[in-house]
Structures are given as C-alpha cells and as structure tokens.
Amino acid sequence: MESSSVAINASADSTTDHQDSESSVVDTVVQYVVLRRDLIDTWPLGSVVTQGCHASVAAIWSNKDDAHTLLYCSPSNLDSMHK
C-alpha cells in the first residue's frame, strides 16, 4: 500500500569510485488490488470492483498506525498514490 516516497540516505561505498558523498534512494510504496476474473461470469463487474475497493480500504484501515501507511495516506501524497 503505497504511493508515499520514502527517502533513504546511504553513504557511498568507499571501495567504489564515488567519493564520500550521500545519495538518496527513493522507495515507492504501491498498493496492489487483485480482482478475480472468474467472478465476472457470476457477478456483475461493478460488484467485483466494489469488493476490491472495500478490501483496499480495509487493508489501509487495518494498518492505519503503520509508518508506511501513514506516509502513503499523508496529505502531500494523496495526489500521487500508486495503485
């Protein structure tokens, strides 16, 4: 669950050609919502999508205190969430 970008500062390896500089690595948190195609034969597509939306919200709510979830749902990241 994740569109929040988490910056991790890492020191450059002293054995490489890099001098003592810091680089920033960005991890993007992505939430994957998987819908079962076989349900489309017995359920209306809207119902399948609705269940996926409910599962997505439940996953976020169940982990609402997790640092990654808080960053993913932060106001500054709402327009850039990855799903």
Side-chain angles (χ1 to χ4, degrees):
M1 354 175 187
E2 315 159 34
S3 154
S4 8
S5 298
V6 179
I8 302 170
N9 290 322
S11 296
D13 185 357
S14 60
T15 61
T16 63
D17 293 335
H18 303 292
Q19 297 190 2
D20 292 336
S21 64
E22 287 191 3
S23 62
S24 178
V25 177
V26 177
D27 288 336
T28 300
V29 178
V30 179
Q31 180 182 36
Y32 289 94
V33 180
V34 179
L35 303 176
R36 291 178 41 190
R37 181 176 285 281
D38 65 311
L39 292 178
I40 295 173
D41 296 334
T42 56
W43 286 31
L45 179 59
S47 295
V48 174
V49 172
T50 298
Q51 290 302 312
C53 293
H54 287 305
S56 174
V57 171
I60 289 175
W61 185 255
S62 295
N63 296 285
K64 65 184 177 287
D65 297 324
D66 181 79
H68 292 100
T69 303
L70 291 170
L71 189 57
Y72 181 72
C73 295
S74 69
S76 63
N77 288 323
L78 284 179
D79 292 333
S80 61
M81 290 176 150
H82 288 78
K83 291 172 211 56

